[in-house]
Amino acid sequence: AQRPRRNPQSMSRRTVNSILVVYLLVVWTAVMVRCDRFPLTWVPMYSTYTPTEKIPVVVIDRKNMERGILVTHRDGSKGYVTAADLNIPITHFWRLYYQRMFGAPPAKHTQGNMNLGAVNRWIRGLDEGEPNFSVEWDWLVIRSLNKTLGYEPSDPKFIVGAEAESEIVHYQKKDLLKKDTSKPERTTLRAHPQWKDEWLQRWNDDTL
């Protein structure tokens, strides 16, 4: 007796269904453990919400963006570093000026440090309260500026300090609900990342 032939179309469907099940299982597992590696990504969850009565808004000053970051060189001279000097788009430069200079991490880091459960801490080897992302932004800013411009610690033009200014406008949530934006509170912040000689030992460590 001849064996019944299997329907190729049926086999194909079973294969596709199996692939989909495995894919969805892997993806949802990745979501549960907050694995951020493409294609196992939780990017849609990068947004965060913290209840607050005041809504802070950073005022982007075009003149500041064009003038650049005020830097101090080892020889005592001062100057400005612009987006053109760093060869980066202005859309990236504002993140450097208004966020990294002030120690503000990217959204990925903010979300990655929020509400880590016991399983997520265990997978990453984190103690209770220990952040998943911990970055010394002053070090990275100073190092990045010098590395990009080709300055070594022994150079007279080596950047030992950087300065930026940011204005924050705080709106009361109750006023925004009434569509009233006429009475905001304004705060001016200044960032001053400074070079530390203790960083010299890791200056050439390109893994940082």
Side-chain angles (χ1 to χ4, degrees):
Q2 293 183 346
R3 293 181 180 179
R5 296 182 178 180
R6 295 182 178 180
N7 187 335
Q9 186 176 5
S10 177
M11 283 291 293
S12 176
R13 287 178 179 175
R14 284 200 297 269
T15 301
V16 170
N17 289 338
S18 298
I19 292 174
L20 286 176
V21 169
V22 171
Y23 174 77
L24 290 174
L25 181 63
V26 171
V27 167
W28 281 108
T29 301
V31 170
M32 293 290 291
V33 300
R34 297 166 77 162
C35 176
D36 187 26
R37 296 291 184 272
F38 183 83
L40 309 180
T41 177
W42 49 288
V43 172
M45 296 190 291
Y46 279 174
S47 60
T48 60
Y49 173 73
T50 303
T52 178
E53 294 303 315
K54 293 183 179 181
I55 310 297
V57 178
V58 178
V59 178
I60 306 298
D61 189 322
R62 183 175 294 275
K63 291 183 179 179
N64 282 347
M65 300 302 303
E66 293 174 353
R67 186 169 55 240
I69 297 171
L70 176 63
V71 298
T72 302
H73 300 281
R74 190 176 290 282
D75 61 9
S77 62
K78 292 181 178 289
Y80 288 92
V81 175
T82 66
D85 295 328
L86 300 175
N87 193 28
I88 59 176
I90 197 68
T91 52
H92 291 179
F93 185 74
W94 80 263
R95 292 189 180 93
L96 172 62
Y97 189 99
Y98 284 105
Q99 294 182 352
R100 309 302 173 259
M101 283 284 292
F102 291 87
K108 170 182 174 179
H109 286 200
T110 302
Q111 174 68 358
N113 287 336
M114 290 187 67
N115 302 324
L116 282 174
V119 173
N120 284 287
R121 290 197 306 273
W122 176 78
I123 291 174
R124 292 164 174 80
L126 301 174
D127 295 329
E128 183 70 32
E130 182 181 356
N132 184 30
F133 294 101
S134 180
V135 179
E136 194 174 3
W137 290 110
D138 283 7
W139 150 251
L140 284 185
V141 166
I142 295 294
R143 184 177 189 272
S144 296
L145 291 176
N146 282 295
K147 284 288 187 179
T148 303
L149 297 173
Y151 297 148
E152 292 296 319
S154 58
D155 295 340
K157 288 298 181 182
F158 183 79
I159 295 172
V160 295
E163 298 178 41
E165 183 178 287
S166 176
E167 183 181 21
I168 312 295
V169 178
H170 299 270
Y171 293 98
Q172 293 286 344
K173 183 185 293 186
K174 60 182 180 181
D175 292 336
L176 292 179
L177 292 174
K178 295 184 293 185
K179 299 182 180 180
D180 180 7
T181 59
S182 62
K183 298 176 292 185
E185 299 176 14
R186 296 179 180 272
T187 304
T188 299
L189 303 178
R190 290 179 175 83
H192 301 276
Q194 301 290 317
W195 167 259
K196 299 177 183 177
D197 289 336
E198 64 192 58
W199 293 340
L200 188 60
Q201 58 186 349
R202 51 175 169 159
W203 172 253
N204 290 315
D205 187 349
D206 292 331
T207 63
L208 300 176

